[in-house]
Amino acid sequence: MGLGGETLPLRFSYRTTVFRYEPEHRGRDREVFQVGFELIGDDSFQSDAEVVTLLARLLERIRLPEWKISLGHVGFFKALLAQSGLSPNGRKQAEVAAAHKDLPRLEQILDAEQLPRAMVRDILQVPERCGRDEVLEWGKRIAGKHPQLLKPLQRLAQVYRQLESSGVQDHILLDLGEFRGFDYYDGVVFDVFTSALGSEIGGGGRYNHLVGRFGRDLPAIGLGLDLDRVFSALERRGQVNGNGLKSVSIFAAPHQAEESYALARQLRGGGICVIEEMIKGSPASVLAWVTGVARRRGMPCVIMVEEKKSVPQSVLLLEFTDFSQKPRRTRVSIQELPQRLRAFRHDTI
């Protein structure tokens, strides 16, 4: 609402607590800490593929074990129900049953309205159609020449080809039974699954009809990841601390904050977890104060930003062992510092 005059498209990322209504005893949390991305103002298949590719690269980066993205389009099933002759109430009930993969209930709804058996058969097969190109071929046979059925299939095919060119197709499964939410989504939809967890860890899709309810009418697509589920999946495969590195602390005086921040940013870019510590007050011996803090916290090593440096672009590395009261002091160039820090792994502490 506050960015209506900005140049489109708009790209956002967020991390926040999300609250949602879930029926009691459903087994799903009503409060979720979520990270997400939104692309607003572009209704092209390239923007669909951009968001899915972003998701795939993120999952690769965090090394989620054995993951797949299930990719579908809600428009195909909705169009199939619309042309079937179901009543509006019957279509609504069928959407709910299909979203829950409740095929017996779906068949009961279709039979109650006395649809032709051929139509019932086609509708019941949609939630089970999952794979690769053969899914699109099956959909085209069902669609025939009906434009409302062909349009979502064509869009899904365009997105899938774009993902192939992005090199992430091995992780993509086409799923005509991927619905997420018929009321919320109106285009391409997707879910993320991993072998380490028995439920999806996130997903998203296109919701072109939604933004206009809050102001300017704009197309949009987005995704969200449930961080609790992501970490549960990583923990089950022992990958939360996948690089094996223990965090390292940088000690600096308040007036050295800018230098400390620059160093921390450089180390974090190399995959090292960094905690910035400010030296409080003016202890008689800064080295003794830092040593005492490090000992109490069980740190294997710390970095000190020195007041007066005999060697430019260097820091003081303090290494602690159980058999020595005094730390080993080594002046290390900032360039070689990441390699030195990687020697301090969990299995050596």
Side-chain angles (χ1 to χ4, degrees):
M1 292 174 68
L3 296 171
E6 297 292 325
T7 302
L8 299 176
L10 300 172
R11 291 172 173 85
F12 299 102
S13 65
Y14 65 87
R15 57 184 187 275
T16 189
T17 299
V18 176
F19 298 90
R20 64 189 178 198
Y21 173 75
E22 292 289 352
E24 198 171 353
H25 308 306
R26 179 80 177 273
R28 294 172 63 94
D29 294 328
R30 295 184 177 184
E31 179 180 348
V32 178
F33 190 76
Q34 181 172 294
V35 296
F37 308 90
E38 313 293 329
L39 197 163
I40 299 175
D42 188 339
D43 193 20
S44 66
F45 73 85
Q46 290 92 341
S47 63
D48 292 343
E50 177 183 332
V51 172
V52 178
T53 301
L54 173 64
L55 174 60
R57 297 306 184 201
L58 173 61
L59 300 176
E60 287 176 349
R61 183 72 179 269
I62 66 175
R63 291 186 287 182
L64 189 72
E66 299 174 353
W67 55 272
K68 295 289 184 184
I69 297 175
S70 177
L71 180 69
H73 195 299
V74 299
F76 180 78
F77 191 72
K78 293 190 77 167
L80 191 61
L81 293 180
Q83 74 158 25
S84 69
L86 277 172
S87 65
N89 184 55
R91 290 204 300 270
K92 187 66 177 178
Q93 292 183 54
E95 288 176 359
V96 173
H100 290 90
K101 305 286 187 180
D102 190 347
L103 297 186
R105 174 58 181 157
L106 178 58
E107 185 173 11
Q108 183 182 41
I109 294 167
L110 301 177
D111 288 341
E113 300 210 10
Q114 300 180 339
L115 296 186
R117 288 310 303 173
M119 177 62 70
V120 171
R121 183 190 65 244
D122 291 343
I123 293 174
L124 289 175
Q125 287 186 49
V126 173
E128 298 181 323
R129 288 291 165 175
C130 181
R132 301 196 184 275
D133 286 287
E134 70 276 8
V135 173
L136 295 173
E137 294 303 319
W138 179 87
K140 290 176 183 177
R141 290 197 300 272
I142 298 301
K145 296 183 179 180
H146 294 283
Q148 295 305 312
L149 287 170
L150 287 172
K151 187 176 179 180
L153 289 175
Q154 291 166 352
R155 179 63 169 250
L156 189 58
Q158 288 176 313
V159 176
Y160 188 54
R161 300 303 168 219
Q162 186 76 12
L163 294 173
E164 285 182 324
S165 66
S166 300
V168 299
Q169 73 277 7
D170 290 343
H171 291 285
I172 305 297
L173 287 175
L174 294 175
D175 187 354
L176 291 181
E178 178 57 62
F179 305 127
R180 286 190 67 82
F182 286 101
D183 292 332
Y184 190 94
Y185 297 104
D186 53 20
V188 166
V189 288
F190 49 89
D191 263 323
V192 180
F193 297 93
T194 170
S195 61
L197 209 62
S199 58
E200 82 279 1
I201 65 169
R206 182 161 290 282
Y207 51 95
N208 287 350
H209 67 288
L210 186 60
V211 178
R213 299 181 185 180
F214 300 94
R216 188 176 175 186
D217 191 15
L218 293 171
I221 181 172
L223 69 90
L225 286 174
D226 183 328
L227 279 192
D228 286 337
R229 292 187 179 184
V230 170
F231 278 103
S232 292
L234 294 175
E235 286 171 353
R236 292 184 184 189
R237 295 302 173 90
Q239 292 179 233
V240 171
N241 294 305
N243 63 7
L245 298 175
K246 196 172 182 67
S247 60
V248 63
S249 289
I250 298 176
F251 284 88
H255 66 272
Q256 297 171 311
E258 187 173 338
E259 185 177 355
S260 173
Y261 174 77
L263 177 57
R265 183 177 180 181
Q266 180 178 335
L267 294 175
R268 288 167 182 153
I272 296 172
C273 182
V274 178
I275 300 172
E276 293 184 77
E277 305 267 7
M278 288 294 110
I279 297 173
K280 298 176 182 178
S282 301
S285 172
V286 172
L287 181 60
W289 184 84
V290 171
T291 298
V293 173
R295 286 289 187 192
R296 287 193 298 273
R297 298 183 185 175
M299 299 175 177
C301 70
V302 299
I303 299 166
M304 277 188 63
V305 179
E306 297 177 279
E307 290 280 355
K308 297 180 180 180
K309 299 179 182 179
S310 56
V311 180
Q313 295 297 309
S314 68
V315 293
L316 191 63
L317 182 65
L318 306 182
E319 304 173 52
F320 300 91
T321 60
D322 292 334
F323 50 82
S324 175
Q325 290 298 314
K326 294 183 178 181
R328 177 185 175 187
R329 292 183 287 176
T330 309
R331 191 163 282 105
V332 181
S333 70
I334 292 176
Q335 185 176 2
E336 67 173 311
L337 185 59
Q339 183 177 353
R340 290 293 299 271
L341 293 175
R342 289 191 178 94
F344 296 92
R345 309 186 70 85
H346 285 298
D347 55 7
T348 64
I349 298 169

